[in-house]
Amino acid sequence: MHFGPFLAAENQMDKPNNSRLIVVSNRLPLKITKQDGKSVFSEADGGLVSALKSYFEKSPEGQFTEKYWIGAADFPEKKWKKASSSGKLSSSYTIEPIFVDEKVFNKYYNGFCNATIWPLFHYFPSITEFEEDTFNCYEEVNKIFRDKILSIVKPGDTIWIHDYQLMLLPGMVREVMPEITIGFFLHIPFPSYEIFRILHRDWKKKIIEGLLGADLIGFHTGEYLQHFLKTTTMVSGLDHRYREVFNKKGIVKADLFPISIDFEKFSNTRDNPAIIAHKQSIRERFGEAKIIFSVDRLDYTKGVTHRLGGFAKFLEMFPEWRGKVVFIMVVVPSRQIVSKYNERKKMIEEQVGRINGKFSTIEWQPIIYRYSQLAFEELAALYQSAPVALITPLRDGMNLVAKEYVASRIDNDGVLILSELAGAANELGEAMLVNPTDKVEVARKINAALLSSQEEQEQAMVVMRQRIKENDVVTWVSRYFEELKDIKHRQTEFGIKMVDDNISKDIKDSYQHANKRLLFLDYDGTLVPIAALPGNAHPSAELLTMLKDLSNHPSTEVVIISGRNFQILEKWLGHLPIHLVAEHGASLRLKGENWQHYTDIDSSWKSLIKSTFELYVQRAPGSLVEEKDHTIAWHYRGVEDELGFIRSRELLDSLYHLVRNTHLNVLDGHKVIEVRAAGIDKGIATGKIMERFPSDFVLAIGDDKTDEDIFNVLKGKAVTIKVGSDLTAAEFNVQNQREAFRLLDKLSMN
Ligand code: GDG
């Protein structure tokens, strides 16, 4: 008999050379220029395009046979047709534009994406809009993307979907192509559940289910990842372990992939003549004045007005710097259609005017404000010319500007003042971290940065530069693809394989031919159906006969391994020549021996947990508390489905906080939440019994999450069977409790 992972499905990701890559993002990486009066499309130099480009150049082993890019067009279809038919398109991707009706696109992009998700995920709930029809358009546009993907994709392809505009898309594609490889990366923060839950119920569910359609979901920081994992539990009731979410359709991995930059592009600039020229003219213009620099897209999340406030405070608190510094603040146009952005622009300009008006002299103007896009060479020259960068977003998924500034400091000098609320602060701890809303702190940090010694600057800069160099964008892309490959492998370990006639016959044959047999049988849901009241699930005469027959076979050890308390197991099954494990291993009675109890007698913790449970009995009519010797459980089988689910998530959340730093574990079972001392689980109990009764045929069968501990311990050493068609660590599944019974019954007739 084969013990161990049964499915070894061939994985297309093993062969990157035969695989095609389909990148999907809201916008295409294209720019239109005029050549001889005609429009020409060419590859734009956006972050993601450059990232992938450097990756393909530097990692030839990671090649794909063909590369596609799907995105919404920001040009008319007619223009596209003309340019593509005349071959006026240069890109390393096959570009697949999507043309969406303007009104629908507006509600999708300016509506749900940028008036709902963007502000909410950046912790601006008060300016978040909640319009049903913008969500409908969001769904509609995601469907258009899905249809485009489906018209291109072939089995074995890899799809990489990007960002908050397309969170429903992975699920939509997965529904049609269950086997396809899908990666998703979120470029913005994933907020805490308390913020996420503000979204309408239906939207929340659809977003989480949409994201879980991916095989791998990437985030910038550990915090965003934790928020996402908690949110999946709260919204969809799904469990997770080691960053793997157990979904009905498969395992989904969520992990952190802090995005980075092309380090070389910013550090290999010493000999670039255009950069040298720009630096020269900056020096001529500003002379000895020390430059403080910032550059951001026009967006309220970037904290520009707070930053200006901090700079004004600095001039007030440290007047000795007046005339000796200049703040070059570049704001890059973005999302001009959204009216809030225009208001913001006006606010910034007024504030710049006020500060310049207040502090300027005939010879000196403190703020040089520019509202436009910079060429790369100008940007690089500014990074190199500014001894201080002031990057203070109120929230930012990562913030690449901070990393680019560090990479540009080729002489290891300069000070990065960075908001602690930017994802980049996690990796750039040596920077001067500030709270962007605290003007006084910002002012003091600017002063400290200007006064810092060469040695202090170098100390921080060397470490940060090294870190970014080692973790550049090529590493980011390759780590992502590596992990996508790994998770595809891992999923094959968790495939669902129903016990059919052949497997059943194999099991029977192995059982018959074994010299020593050991059977681990769960009780509720496996040997007896789940009863509405736990007290009613007593064994039928048929079951008792079957267990007697099994245990009468020579050299056969039968173990009932249950979450039930020892009194009830003793009462119902104590007369049989079998081993009994109660309360997941807290109590054990070997055949013919007395009960042994494995936990400390101290169960004083139970009263606190019990009072919490009792509160939930009131909040969820139909639920009940079951107090056992070593565990305490709240059952909600009797509660109306939706209410039971919501209350169970709330209870779980408060229990996790309650048991933190204690020796207790919380167990989210099937319609039951249990608390017990750590170090007790069915897996540990199974291990002990395996040692005691070495056998050449071992079988374990169970229906609950707690039985997964048994399956994990027995991996490769036993026939393991999960009751039900859920994803499992067991090797096989049987449809339901009746089938489980029938299988055991067949063995007992041998
Ligand atoms: C989102 C997330 C996350 C800006 N102005 C000019 C210019 N830029 C370049 C910068 C940098 C990029 O644009 C901006 O990236 P950020 O990371 O700072 O911000 P977002 O645009 O908001 O990006 C963010 C990012 O996605 C990646 O995942 O870090 O948190 O919000 O590369 O250099 N480049 C040139 N001229 C400009 O005027 N050449």
Side-chain angles (χ1 to χ4, degrees):
M1 186 73 203
H2 169 82
F3 289 162
F6 193 88
L7 291 178
E10 198 184 343
N11 195 318
Q12 299 287 354
M13 285 289 290
D14 276 346
K15 299 178 250 151
N17 290 335
N18 291 333
S19 165
R20 306 181 318 160
L21 174 68
I22 304 174
V23 181
V24 191
S25 63
N26 175 53
R27 282 293 184 206
L28 284 167
L30 283 187
K31 60 175 187 252
I32 311 180
T33 44
K34 287 269 178 205
Q35 252 177 38
D36 308 326
K38 287 188 184 140
S39 302
V40 179
F41 287 89
S42 59
E43 212 162 274
D45 203 18
L48 190 57
V49 198
S50 326
L52 287 165
K53 199 169 163 188
S54 322
Y55 168 74
F56 292 128
E57 278 165 14
K58 293 179 191 167
S59 318
E61 76 281 3
Q63 297 295 355
F64 291 85
T65 51
E66 277 175 77
K67 298 185 301 248
Y68 288 80
W69 200 305
I70 298 176
D74 54 358
F75 40 79
E77 197 165 0
K78 241 183 174 171
K79 211 175 208 175
W80 171 253
K81 281 192 175 144
K82 214 166 147 195
S84 43
S85 63
S86 63
K88 296 226 175 296
L89 170 66
S90 80
S91 170
S92 48
Y93 293 84
T94 304
I95 298 285
E96 293 286 349
I98 280 170
F99 297 95
V100 185
D101 171 81
E102 211 179 303
K103 275 197 191 131
V104 174
F105 192 84
N106 179 41
K107 285 193 176 166
Y108 147 82
Y109 185 66
N110 295 317
F112 199 73
C113 293
N114 289 325
T116 305
I117 296 296
W118 179 270
L120 194 68
F121 279 35
H122 285 89
Y123 294 78
F124 286 83
S126 58
I127 59 161
T128 302
E129 292 171 17
F130 300 93
E131 298 296 338
E132 206 60 48
D133 64 335
T134 66
F135 180 78
N136 294 339
C137 290
Y138 184 74
E139 220 174 358
E140 195 177 327
V141 175
N142 273 254
K143 278 186 189 151
I144 300 175
F145 271 86
R146 172 199 62 191
D147 294 343
K148 187 65 166 184
I149 294 177
L150 294 179
S151 72
I152 294 167
V153 71
K154 288 191 205 153
D157 286 353
T158 297
I159 306 171
W160 198 10
I161 301 171
H162 287 264
D163 227 358
Y164 67 104
Q165 300 92 348
L166 301 172
M167 291 190 287
L168 307 180
L169 189 55
M172 289 176 172
V173 177
R174 175 69 65 217
E175 236 172 62
V176 189
M177 302 201 69
E179 305 296 329
I180 202 76
T181 301
I182 307 176
F184 180 89
F185 189 81
L186 187 71
H187 290 259
I188 65 172
F190 194 93
S192 89
Y193 174 65
E194 281 310 310
I195 288 285
F196 186 84
R197 72 187 300 186
I198 299 173
L199 289 171
H200 294 184
R201 198 184 301 281
D202 181 41
W203 304 353
K204 276 190 289 221
K205 255 190 121 47
K206 284 185 170 161
I207 290 173
I208 293 301
E209 277 162 16
L211 290 171
L212 290 174
D215 297 297
L216 177 63
I217 309 170
F219 300 93
H220 287 309
T221 74
E223 253 172 29
Y224 309 158
L225 171 65
Q226 290 313 323
H227 292 158
F228 170 75
L229 290 175
K230 175 167 175 185
T231 302
T232 52
T233 307
M234 301 306 274
V235 173
S236 300
L238 295 171
D239 226 353
H240 56 86
R241 190 162 61 181
Y242 303 129
R243 300 173 179 171
E244 288 175 355
V245 181
F246 299 90
N247 188 355
K248 262 211 172 327
K249 291 178 194 142
I251 301 182
V252 176
K253 179 87 188 260
D255 213 342
L256 55 139
F257 299 89
I259 201 169
S260 195
I261 55 160
D262 183 345
F263 183 83
E264 302 293 323
K265 183 175 163 193
F266 288 90
S267 62
N268 270 356
T269 48
R270 225 182 260 281
D271 305 323
N272 181 319
I275 296 178
I276 296 172
H278 280 298
K279 276 166 70 178
Q280 179 65 26
S281 66
I282 293 169
R283 203 167 306 129
E284 277 162 19
R285 161 111 200 253
F286 299 108
E288 289 301 299
K290 294 204 177 210
I291 296 172
I292 300 166
F293 177 59
S294 78
V295 55
D296 325 74
R297 281 188 306 101
L298 175 69
D299 198 292
Y300 47 86
T301 62
K302 301 289 181 185
V304 176
T305 49
H306 288 81
R307 186 181 312 155
L308 284 168
F311 180 69
K313 193 69 174 175
F314 159 76
L315 293 176
E316 241 173 71
M317 287 173 68
F318 306 97
E320 64 276 21
W321 285 109
R322 292 183 198 172
K324 294 183 192 149
V325 294
V326 58
F327 178 21
I328 303 181
M329 191 178 81
V330 178
V331 174
V332 180
S334 166
R335 301 177 194 165
Q336 280 128 311
I337 305 166
V338 185
S339 63
K340 292 215 168 52
Y341 287 75
N342 280 326
E343 287 167 26
R344 183 127 307 254
K345 177 171 178 268
K346 238 175 106 195
M347 261 166 75
I348 293 171
E349 283 165 4
E350 283 168 7
Q351 204 177 351
V352 169
R354 273 199 305 274
I355 300 171
N356 274 343
K358 182 169 173 190
F359 296 100
S360 290
T361 59
I362 301 291
E363 305 82 40
W364 175 70
Q365 180 183 320
I367 303 172
I368 306 293
Y369 164 71
R370 183 169 151 181
Y371 179 71
S372 65
Q373 179 90 19
L374 298 171
F376 166 74
E377 289 74 14
E378 274 181 285
L379 179 68
L382 279 161
Y383 282 148
Q384 290 183 20
S385 306
V388 179
L390 189 55
I391 317 294
T392 54
L394 296 174
R395 285 281 164 180
D396 216 332
M398 172 55 74
N399 194 298
L400 294 178
V401 169
K403 291 189 173 180
E404 289 167 3
Y405 175 70
V406 171
S408 304
R409 305 304 300 176
I410 40 188
D411 295 323
N412 292 324
D413 59 354
V415 180
L416 169 66
I417 302 179
L418 177 63
S419 162
E420 61 195 16
L421 301 175
N426 285 285
E427 290 168 87
L428 302 175
E430 294 77 10
M432 279 195 179
L433 298 183
V434 282
N435 180 331
T437 61
D438 185 343
K439 282 188 252 180
V440 174
E441 192 191 358
V442 171
R444 290 210 171 109
K445 291 270 158 86
I446 297 176
N447 180 51
L450 292 167
L451 292 176
S452 68
S453 69
Q454 179 70 25
E455 208 186 342
E456 284 167 326
Q457 295 181 14
E458 197 169 320
Q459 243 177 23
M461 225 14 119
V462 167
V463 182
M464 291 193 286
R465 285 174 59 76
Q466 188 59 26
R467 195 172 300 136
I468 298 176
K469 191 175 173 190
E470 280 165 14
N471 297 291
D472 68 350
V473 77
V474 176
T475 318
W476 179 73
V477 179
S478 44
R479 260 204 62 220
Y480 193 91
F481 283 145
E482 273 298 303
E483 204 159 319
L484 191 54
K485 196 157 83 179
D486 286 353
I487 188 68
K488 273 314 225 195
H489 273 301
R490 191 136 156 73
Q491 284 168 351
T492 60
E493 289 175 22
F494 275 75
I496 289 173
K497 178 83 182 162
M498 285 294 169
V499 173
D500 58 14
D501 289 349
N502 287 337
I503 295 171
S504 165
K505 190 173 165 300
D506 276 357
I507 295 174
K508 214 167 133 185
D509 285 352
S510 315
Y511 179 83
Q512 270 173 344
H513 292 112
N515 294 320
K516 282 183 185 290
R517 306 139 172 173
L518 179 56
L519 310 179
F520 291 95
L521 313 176
D522 167 50
Y523 185 75
D524 293 85
T526 301
L527 298 178
V528 296
I530 298 276
L533 286 175
N536 290 348
H538 42 71
S540 62
E542 212 185 350
L543 170 62
L544 292 173
T545 310
M546 194 247 295
L547 291 174
K548 208 180 288 167
D549 290 347
L550 279 174
S551 52
N552 280 339
H553 285 177
S555 307
T556 303
E557 305 294 335
V558 177
V559 185
I560 303 293
I561 185 159
S562 167
R564 294 273 183 171
N565 66 19
F566 78 95
Q567 292 92 338
I568 201 103
L569 288 188
E570 181 65 41
K571 184 175 154 199
W572 284 348
L573 306 165
H575 59 289
L576 296 171
I578 58 178
H579 311 285
L580 298 175
V581 178
E583 298 192 34
H584 307 110
S587 302
L588 167 70
R589 196 216 67 178
L590 293 177
K591 188 166 61 182
E593 295 181 11
N594 290 328
W595 280 98
Q596 300 169 41
H597 304 288
Y598 290 102
T599 44
D600 45 7
I601 330 281
D602 173 29
S603 41
S604 51
W605 54 270
K606 275 203 281 174
S607 57
L608 174 65
I609 304 293
K610 192 176 174 190
S611 59
T612 310
F613 278 179
E614 276 163 356
L615 205 75
Y616 277 78
V617 171
Q618 286 166 29
R619 299 182 65 195
S623 66
L624 55 95
V625 179
E626 184 192 3
E627 193 173 344
K628 302 184 245 184
D629 286 277
H630 307 288
T631 57
I632 179 162
W634 178 73
H635 294 271
Y636 60 100
R637 285 171 207 172
V639 185
E640 183 269 315
D641 269 356
E642 187 166 349
L643 180 71
F645 176 69
I646 294 171
R647 291 291 177 260
S648 67
R649 297 309 97 189
E650 289 168 1
L651 175 56
L652 264 186
D653 195 35
S654 49
L655 286 175
Y656 286 142
H657 288 104
L658 264 179
V659 306
R660 209 178 177 147
N661 300 325
T662 70
H663 68 305
L664 300 176
N665 272 347
V666 179
L667 223 100
D668 181 19
H670 179 59
K671 301 263 176 185
V672 60
I673 290 178
E674 238 168 302
V675 178
R676 63 182 182 196
I680 292 173
D681 69 46
K682 287 184 176 181
I684 296 172
T686 301
K688 283 186 198 157
I689 294 173
M690 284 280 281
E691 271 175 27
R692 179 83 192 260
F693 301 101
S695 310
D696 53 345
F697 177 90
V698 182
L699 177 138
I701 182 160
D703 75 312
D704 200 7
K705 279 185 192 162
T706 57
D707 299 315
E708 294 297 315
D709 293 327
I710 308 181
F711 303 148
N712 278 314
V713 163
L714 293 182
K715 206 157 226 165
K717 301 179 195 153
V719 177
T720 49
I721 304 173
K722 161 93 178 172
V723 182
S725 53
D726 287 347
L727 202 72
T728 174
E731 193 180 5
F732 302 110
N733 294 63
V734 287
Q735 204 66 258
N736 49 38
Q737 185 270 327
R738 254 176 305 137
E739 270 198 41
F741 190 95
R742 209 170 299 139
L743 183 91
L744 290 169
D745 207 32
K746 272 192 206 158
L747 297 184
S748 76
M749 287 188 278
N750 271 292

